[in-house]
Amino acid sequence: EDQVTQSPEALRLQEGESSSLNCSYTVSGLRGLFWYRQDPGKGPEFLFTLYSAGEEKEKERLKATLTKKESFLHITAPKPEDSATYLCAVGVTGANSKLTFGKGITLSVRP
Amino acid sequence: NAGVTQTPKFQVLKTGQSMTLQCAQDMNHEYMSWYRQDPGMGLRLIHYSVGAGITDQGEVPNGYNVSRSTTEDFPLRLLSAAPSQTSVYFCASSRLPQGNYGYTFGSGTRLTVV
């Protein structure tokens, strides 16, 4: 069974304090690993897709990396506007576009 | 460009009532899906469709029906609402094959069953 586990469940940072969010996965065949951001009361918003171990992608203060067992979302010098829930999802080969999501990590950045 | 539009945004139902949650997308996406999001449970797949006339069950399909008569629309029907169906429902769409772009989500429908 495909599984996605995100840790920690919640993270509180001071503005400027860099950290990493973890997403570990167990799948039969990885088609892609996806990161989304979700603000309260809104739908998830797409951030990154990673396809193979060693791949990295960046967007402003966010950098996503991928290994064969896990992905990290690194947040460098976060700002209060980075506060949100970050979701990780995996797509499995042969499963069309179906994604299996983790439970999310709620990030709070204090000014 | 509207993206994925869900209606209504909020709904309160009595146990046993039926209703339809609407989802429409204007991006010509082949793939559409319904998820429910509950505290501590994450997003769970209810039903999905890879094109007009084609639907399939996800992880938690019981109590829900779907149909897809057009590329644009993918309504979710609750047959006889139960308190366990209290949740936030999201519709999501994507191209096929999915490529680099992931899903586009709607803004959600918050459903309370009393």
Side-chain angles (χ1 to χ4, degrees), chain B residues 5-67:
Chain B
T5 302
Q6 290 185 237
T7 56
K9 292 191 182 301
F10 301 95
Q11 183 71 49
V12 179
L13 286 180
K14 292 183 179 179
T15 298
Q17 286 185 318
S18 62
M19 78 159 294
T20 300
L21 280 61
Q22 301 291 344
C23 175
Q25 53 91 9
D26 62 357
M27 298 169 286
N28 204 32
H29 283 172
E30 296 91 345
Y31 182 86
M32 296 186 74
S33 57
W34 279 101
Y35 284 85
R36 59 178 290 174
Q37 188 174 42
D38 302 292
M41 299 292 291
L43 284 161
R44 293 181 291 168
L45 181 64
I46 304 172
H47 286 286
Y48 66 97
S49 168
V50 298
I54 306 169
T55 64
D56 206 346
Q57 296 180 353
E59 180 185 355
V60 287
N62 292 340
Y64 307 96
N65 270 359
V66 292
S67 60

Side-chain angles (χ1 to χ4, degrees), chain A residues 9-44:
Chain A
E9 289 186 11
L11 184 62
R12 297 187 67 182
L13 299 175
Q14 197 70 34
E15 184 173 3
E17 179 187 2
S18 301
S19 189
S20 298
L21 312 181
N22 177 261
C23 171
S24 61
Y25 62 91
T26 305
V27 296
S28 51
L30 183 69
R31 171 172 59 80
L33 186 139
F34 300 78
W35 282 98
Y36 292 83
R37 170 189 170 128
Q38 186 175 22
D39 292 302
K42 297 189 176 181

Side-chain angles (χ1 to χ4, degrees), chain A residues 1 31 34 36 38 41-46 48-49 51 57 85 87 91 95-104, chain B residues 31 35 37 40-43 45 48 50 57 90 94-108 110:
Chain A
E1 181 181 337
R31 171 172 59 80
F34 300 78
Y36 292 83
Q38 186 175 22
K42 297 189 176 181
E45 181 179 317
F46 172 74
F48 303 110
T49 308
Y51 292 105
K57 288 193 176 173
T85 297
L87 304 174
N96 285 314
S97 282
K98 284 194 294 182
L99 297 183
T100 299
F101 284 82
K103 295 180 181 180
Chain B
Y31 182 86
Y35 284 85
Q37 188 174 42
M41 299 292 291
L43 284 161
L45 181 64
Y48 66 97
V50 298
Q57 296 180 353
F90 288 101
S94 75
R95 300 179 184 178
L96 279 178
Q98 193 167 53
N100 291 326
Y101 306 106
Y103 286 171
T104 301
F105 281 86
S107 58
R110 184 173 295 273

